[in-house]
């Protein structure tokens, strides 16, 4: 025993634990990126504001609360627009838009099947989103945002028809009336 009342094995275990924590922190640090002023662009902010304000205005003026999902969809799509080549960005956005519509529909509709169905549907959809995103190059952000869509959609259980209306909020307007 040492003078502090601890044994050598517990001291060694404490050092081993500290070393593992330092290793984990270093790995997380290497995989993260800092937000610096050079990454912020006023044009991107204005684009995001217009993308969110347009469906919000339509939802408020029409009085149709189900259209508020378009605001969620626009916000999540702006978040999903990661840096990269134009081809890569468009590919990831197309995947998010298509899968977001499917996940929103399945989450909302399946949660309405039983009183506790959302507690089952949400985690299953989150797992499917993350497994699917792991198969896509640079799909981590898409998977994370699709998981958010799954959780939020499962929290709003609706009938088949209303779930379909929510899902269409992710799809682009074919006539170009909103954006």
């Amino acid at each position: 025993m040492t003078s502090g009342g601890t044994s050598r094995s517990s001291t060694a275990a404490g050092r081993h634990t500290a070393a593992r924590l330092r290793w984990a922190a270093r790995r997380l640090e290497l995989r993260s990126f800092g937000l610096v002023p050079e990454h912020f662009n006023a044009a991107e902010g204005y684009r995001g504001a217009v993308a969110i304000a347009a469906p919000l205005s339509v939802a408020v003026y029409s009085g149709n609360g189900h259209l508020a999902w378009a605001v969620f969809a626009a916000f999540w799509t702006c978040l999903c627009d990661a840096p990269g080549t134009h081809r890569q960005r468009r590919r990831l956005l197309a995947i998010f838009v298509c899968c977001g519509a499917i996940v929103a529909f399945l989450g909302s509709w399946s949660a309405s099947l039983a009183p506790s169905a959302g507690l089952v549907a949400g985690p299953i959809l989150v797992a499917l989103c993350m497994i699917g995103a792991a198969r896509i190059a640079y799909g981590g952000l898409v998977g994370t945002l699709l998981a958010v869509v799954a959780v939020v959609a499962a929290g709003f259980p609706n009938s088949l028809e209303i779930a379909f209306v929510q899902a269409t909020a992710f799809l682009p307007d074919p006539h170009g009336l909103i954006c």
Side-chain angles (χ1 to χ4, degrees):
M1 292 278 229
T2 61
S3 63
T6 60
S7 67
R8 287 182 184 219
S9 63
S10 67
T11 305
R15 280 187 289 215
H16 181 68
T17 302
R20 294 195 82 186
L21 287 173
R22 280 192 304 273
W23 174 82
R26 183 69 181 146
R27 284 204 37 110
L28 290 172
E29 181 183 350
L30 291 174
R31 295 191 179 340
S32 68
F33 61 92
L35 295 175
V36 294
E38 293 82 28
H39 291 158
F40 298 113
N41 183 347
E44 291 290 320
Y46 296 137
R47 184 176 64 97
V50 169
I52 293 168
L56 179 62
S57 300
V58 171
V60 169
Y61 289 124
S62 70
N64 188 348
H66 300 297
L67 292 179
W69 268 86
V71 178
F72 285 129
F75 176 67
W76 289 326
T77 304
C78 288
L79 289 179
C80 192
D81 191 9
T85 64
H86 288 299
R87 181 178 183 202
Q88 179 184 8
R89 289 174 60 204
R90 285 190 177 95
R91 183 176 148 267
L92 290 175
L93 286 171
I95 291 169
F96 178 73
V97 165
C98 294
C99 292
I102 293 167
V103 168
F105 173 75
L106 289 175
S108 183
W109 176 67
S110 63
S112 71
L113 297 177
S116 299
L119 297 174
V120 175
I124 290 172
L125 285 172
V126 167
L128 290 174
C129 291
M130 296 312 291
I131 290 169
R135 302 183 57 82
I136 300 169
Y138 307 106
L141 181 61
V142 172
T144 302
L145 290 172
L146 285 174
V148 171
V149 171
V151 169
V152 172
F156 289 91
N158 283 304
S159 66
L160 188 67
E161 297 81 21
I162 302 300
F164 181 75
V165 170
Q166 286 179 341
T168 58
F170 282 87
L171 302 176
D173 182 16
H175 306 291
L177 298 176
I178 295 178
C179 293

